Amino acid sequence: MKNTNDPDLKVETTYCRSKTPENLLTYKTQAHLVAKLITLAKRTYFKKIVTDCESQPKKLWSTLQTLLSRSTPPILPNSISSSNLASRFITFFDQKISKLCTSISKIHLTSSIHQTKTLSPPPSLSTFSPATPEEIRNIILTSSNASCSLDSIPTFLLKSCLECLLQPITTVINKALQDGFFPTTFKIANIHPLLKKHNLPHEELGSYRPISNLNFISKVLERVIQTRLNNHLSTFPSICRRQSAYRKFHSTETALLRIHNDISLAINHQKVTALVLLDLSAAFDTIDHSILLSRLHSTYGLTGNALSLLSSYLSNRFQKVTISNSSSDPLPLTTGVPQGSVLGPLLFTLYTSPISEIFTSPNISFHLYADDTQLYISFSSSDSTSALNLS
């Protein structure tokens, strides 16, 4: 039903009735004004969307992809049924990690990395302080509205009923912190295979990476633990200075700037640089739990309930692949941390931080970004053979 009080509609109706030059000018002026107002409203709307996630690069990129209509439908191999494809994927992912873990030399790993050297004992962290309702409210409200089948209620609905649910959620989280026990129902991951690159053959299972969807409240608990771990780690030299991943004020940009600056300085001194790029295969999935827990205790000072909670977080986890409405049988996750988890990146950084102790040669420079390691050495072109042999 048209609104007869609309000024734009009135001038249009007046012009259609009389068709005088004056009425035409009035109509064009009003139409131009309305167009400007619509453009301004769109600009304000899009600016707010971008501003709201400007401090979250991942969310910002996803938002821009949606605004530009660049989202592509998921690509999966052809299969006779979704359940059959889900079973094939979970078997492939499980066997891939088992083969990688078997190929790792336990003797070499233990002798090279497991026994880390600490100049002085780290400060102890035996308990995680309880969370306040205000802290939980802030974590929930600043989280995305993404939900998965493991959630009892959709995230957007939980947010709308937050005042009623805030105290029970806080109680559950504080109970886990107090008892040093990560709830069993929070330790299952729902995996969705994601094609690594669109130019890879989509019929090959090796072209896909497992992306884990986790229970929303479990991620809230993880965020609480992460905050307390970061506060503890900031009290002493804990993470390698040349690790740029998952750290405040660090990013891929800081890693690139550091390496670019070092190479540019070498060029200024008429030197050439040899750069080696190393990348670990399925790095997050092959973390050895026993080594990680030992390192958390000896290198980072976790004891008591704090260490028990992280041990509980890592143990007795399960994962299943879901495609459409079909899911595979759940399989145990005996190594690694779930991709898509909150604690996973931080635990991986702590697990691999001692790798910097390997690069003891003063001639070799290095920089780390998660599982990517950059090794480089600068030398005079006339001394290339001897410089490379010494490194």
Side-chain angles (χ1 to χ4, degrees), residues 347-368:
L347 293 178
F348 178 81
T349 301
L350 298 180
Y351 182 73
T352 58
S353 186
I355 199 173
S356 60
E357 298 175 9
I358 297 175
F359 311 125
T360 56
S361 173
N363 298 323
I364 298 179
S365 298
F366 70 93
H367 204 89
L368 311 171

Side-chain angles (χ1 to χ4, degrees), residues 184-227:
T184 303
T185 54
F186 290 172
K187 294 196 288 187
I188 185 163
N190 207 358
I191 292 178
H192 292 273
L194 178 67
L195 192 64
K196 297 176 183 177
K197 294 181 181 179
H198 289 287
N199 59 350
L200 293 177
H202 69 271
E203 289 299 324
E204 295 184 11
L205 302 187
S207 299
Y208 296 80
R209 65 163 55 94
I211 301 299
S212 300
N213 288 338
L214 303 169
N215 177 283
F216 178 75
I217 302 300
S218 75
K219 298 178 78 171
V220 174
L221 175 54
E222 286 188 61
R223 201 168 296 280
V224 170
I225 299 171
Q226 181 192 46
T227 300

Side-chain angles (χ1 to χ4, degrees), residues 70-337:
R70 290 180 176 174
S71 300
T72 55
I75 302 174
L76 292 170
N78 295 321
S79 180
I80 55 175
S81 67
S82 298
S83 59
N84 176 267
L85 185 58
S87 297
R88 287 171 55 200
F89 263 118
I90 192 64
T91 301
F92 172 79
F93 290 144
D94 184 64
Q95 291 179 350
K96 175 185 175 182
I97 302 306
S98 296
K99 291 177 182 178
L100 281 173
C101 290
T102 302
S103 66
I104 296 175
S105 171
K106 294 292 184 179
I107 297 177
H108 175 73
L109 183 64
T110 302
S111 60
S112 300
I113 302 178
H114 187 31
Q115 302 298 331
T116 59
K117 300 177 182 179
T118 54
L119 298 178
S120 59
S124 176
L125 176 65
S126 59
T127 59
F128 292 123
S129 59
T132 64
E134 290 72 23
E135 180 184 10
I136 301 302
R137 178 189 286 109
N138 182 63
I139 291 174
I140 292 176
L141 292 180
T142 55
S143 300
S144 71
N145 287 337
S147 297
C148 72
S149 59
L150 299 174
D151 294 323
S152 301
I153 60 175
T155 305
F156 78 90
L157 183 58
L158 185 149
K159 288 183 177 182
S160 66
C161 305
L162 186 56
E163 294 309 313
C164 298
L165 299 174
L166 183 60
Q167 192 55 52
I169 293 173
T170 305
T171 301
V172 169
I173 288 174
N174 283 336
K175 183 67 173 173
L177 297 176
Q178 178 183 352
D179 295 347
F181 179 78
F182 203 87
T184 303
T185 54
F186 290 172
K187 294 196 288 187
I188 185 163
N190 207 358
I191 292 178
H192 292 273
L194 178 67
L195 192 64
K196 297 176 183 177
K197 294 181 181 179
H198 289 287
N199 59 350
L200 293 177
H202 69 271
E203 289 299 324
E204 295 184 11
L205 302 187
S207 299
Y208 296 80
R209 65 163 55 94
I211 301 299
S212 300
N213 288 338
L214 303 169
N215 177 283
F216 178 75
I217 302 300
S218 75
K219 298 178 78 171
V220 174
L221 175 54
E222 286 188 61
R223 201 168 296 280
V224 170
I225 299 171
Q226 181 192 46
T227 300
R228 283 140 183 78
L229 271 178
N230 282 329
N231 291 339
H232 172 68
L233 295 171
S234 65
T235 62
F236 66 102
S238 52
I239 299 177
C240 175
R241 293 187 302 108
R242 297 185 182 182
Q243 171 64 265
S244 287
Y246 315 122
R247 299 177 64 192
K248 193 174 184 179
F249 306 124
H250 291 73
S251 64
T252 53
E253 186 176 1
T254 59
L256 290 172
L257 284 173
R258 172 59 188 261
I259 298 171
H260 183 273
N261 180 70
D262 287 350
I263 294 176
S264 296
L265 290 175
I267 292 174
N268 289 341
H269 290 87
Q270 299 182 341
K271 292 183 178 181
V272 295
T273 300
L275 173 67
V276 177
L277 304 176
L278 306 176
D279 181 40
L280 298 177
S281 179
F284 277 64
D285 299 317
T286 53
I287 292 177
D288 186 296
H289 292 170
S290 62
I291 294 177
L292 173 59
L293 291 171
S294 174
R295 188 158 297 150
L296 289 174
H297 172 65
S298 60
T299 307
Y300 303 107
L302 270 67
T303 61
N305 273 4
L307 186 62
S308 295
L309 181 57
L310 289 174
S311 176
S312 175
Y313 170 78
L314 293 170
S315 63
N316 298 319
R317 298 196 72 97
F318 289 84
Q319 58 184 6
K320 60 180 180 178
V321 171
T322 298
I323 296 175
S324 299
N325 294 322
S326 301
S327 297
S328 68
D329 293 331
L331 290 181
L333 190 66
T334 56
T335 60
V337 290

